[in-house]
């Protein structure tokens, strides 16, 4: 599936200033450690496959949703890790980045950019912040409701099965659905907090402060030093959060089931996480197309961590080709959770809509008070019988 509300990342780093280098030192050390661990995994798998060492436990009786449902219900599956991308948010109305004709990159001509990716490049942002904040008004968190997929992960949490959700998305819908800070690794950052871009300041601002600035057409400037303030999303040229690298070392070796939804698995280092679970750990992909498959050459040697859905050696990977919402509903149905999931979605959407109406009414009353005019009378919904 094409990446959607997930934030696009380049594998290579942009040039950074000495100040930025100093600020990113701890992040770089974590990335170096992760790279070293990946190389060790590669060599370990190479020697294991070449010398015929070790054996792999097959835990699924069938490579399909039914087999996965039975595994979850068996009591052996206690630590589920989710990896999610843009595809889990498209049904909420958030456009993707790369789809021809409809993606964000195909519709950025109005911002007069030198190239589409510039809108998310840190150096360009510091010189020309206007295009990014104009786009932010269109995509700002709070204008969309979480999807069935988001609430399915919330159910996994409520049932004590979710170890962590690793998200490429910046739309904060996981938080709105009820995943809290410890439940969530926002690999590409978030709008939830913002910081001054000056390394000598770095004052933090909350979501409401940034929202007020964006929707008043103001370029957000720091109250303390007057530098630009940027949401804490990872731009091209910036490092991923340190917590991404530290948490993955704890979570993936303990993972009993990896569920991957709505991502093309093309962006590193996020995509490489699929290879960090144990070799016996089942992996489920819910997506509109197969993704993350092993390179044929490396697949023959049985290392590299890529997905294997179709070969004769396939033993743990399941691809369910559908929208993320449809896949989550199908799995919930097999688990006996479908009615509970649908009720959760309906009740939460009703709550969000009621809060939105209340906020709009409060805003209208406040505007009327400032203008010295009475607020509009409540609509009379009674009808003659």
């Amino acid at each position: 599936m094409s990446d959607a509300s997930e934030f696009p990342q380049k594998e290579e780093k942009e040039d950074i200033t000495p100040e930025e280098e100093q600020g990113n030192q701890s992040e770089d050390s974590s990335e170096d450690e992760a790279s070293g661990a990946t190389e060790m995994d590669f060599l370990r798998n190479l020697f294991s496959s070449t010398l015929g060492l070790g054996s792999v436990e097959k835990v699924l009786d069938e490579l399909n949703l039914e087999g996965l449902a039975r595994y979850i219900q068996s009591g052996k599956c206690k630590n589920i890790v989710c990896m999610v991308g843009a595809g889990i948010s498209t049904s909420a109305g958030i456009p993707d980045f790369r789809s021809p004709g409809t993606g964000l990159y195909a519709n950025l001509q109005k911002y007069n950019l030198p190239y589409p990716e510039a809108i998310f490049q840190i150096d360009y942002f510091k010189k020309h912040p206007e295009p990014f904040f104009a786009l932010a008004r269109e995509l700002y968190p709070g204008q969309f409701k979480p999807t069935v997929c988001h609430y399915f992960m919330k159910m996994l949490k409520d049932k004590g099965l979710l170890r962590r959700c690793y998200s490429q998305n910046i739309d904060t819908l996981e938080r709105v659905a009820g995943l809290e800070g410890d439940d969530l690794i926002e690999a590409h950052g978030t709008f939830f907090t913002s910081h001054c871009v000056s390394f000598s300041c770095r004052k933090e601002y909350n979501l409401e402060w940034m929202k007020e600035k964006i929707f008043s057409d103001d370029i957000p400037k720091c109250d303390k030093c007057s530098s630009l303030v940027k949401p804490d999303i990872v731009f091209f040229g910036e490092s991923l959060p340190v917590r991404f690298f530290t948490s993955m070392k704890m979570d993936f070796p303990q993972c009993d089931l990896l569920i991957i939804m709505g991502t093309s698995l093309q962006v590193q280092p996020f995509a490489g996480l699929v290879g960090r679970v144990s070799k016996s750990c089942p992996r489920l992909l819910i997506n509109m197309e197969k993704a993350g498959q092993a390179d044929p050459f490396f697949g023959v040697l049985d290392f590299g961590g890529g997905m294997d859905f179709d070969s004769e050696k396939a033993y743990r990977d399941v691809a369910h080709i559908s929208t993320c919402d449809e896949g989550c509903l199908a799995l919930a149905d097999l688990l006996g959770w479908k009615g509970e999931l649908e009720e959760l979605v309906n009740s939460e959407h009703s709550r969000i809509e009621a809060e939105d109406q209340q906020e709009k009414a409060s805003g209208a009353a406040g505007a009327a008070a400032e203008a010295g005019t009475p607020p509009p009378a409540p609509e009379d919904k009674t009808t003659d019988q």
Side-chain angles (χ1 to χ4, degrees), residues 107-132:
N107 292 281
L108 293 177
Q109 299 91 340
K110 56 188 173 184
Y111 300 124
N112 297 315
L113 299 167
Y115 46 91
E117 292 85 356
I119 201 168
F120 298 120
Q121 223 157 23
I122 188 62
D123 291 338
Y124 186 85
F125 169 81
K126 289 178 178 179
K127 296 175 183 176
H128 307 284
E130 297 83 4
F132 170 78

Side-chain angles (χ1 to χ4, degrees), residues 30-86:
S30 295
E31 289 183 75
D32 291 341
E33 290 177 16
S35 176
T38 300
E39 291 174 3
M40 286 302 298
D41 289 341
F42 178 89
L43 291 173
R44 193 175 296 114
N45 288 333
L46 173 60
F47 287 124
S48 176
S49 60
T50 302
L51 301 176
L53 302 177
S55 59
V56 177
E57 178 188 4
K58 183 176 179 180
V59 299
L60 298 181
D61 55 23
E62 284 188 279
L63 294 180
N64 51 33
L65 285 187
E66 288 79 3
L68 282 161
R70 286 190 290 272
Y71 173 58
I72 294 171
Q73 292 172 324
S74 71
K76 298 178 182 178
C77 180
K78 299 178 180 178
N79 290 287
I80 296 177
V81 174
C82 293
M83 290 174 57
V84 300

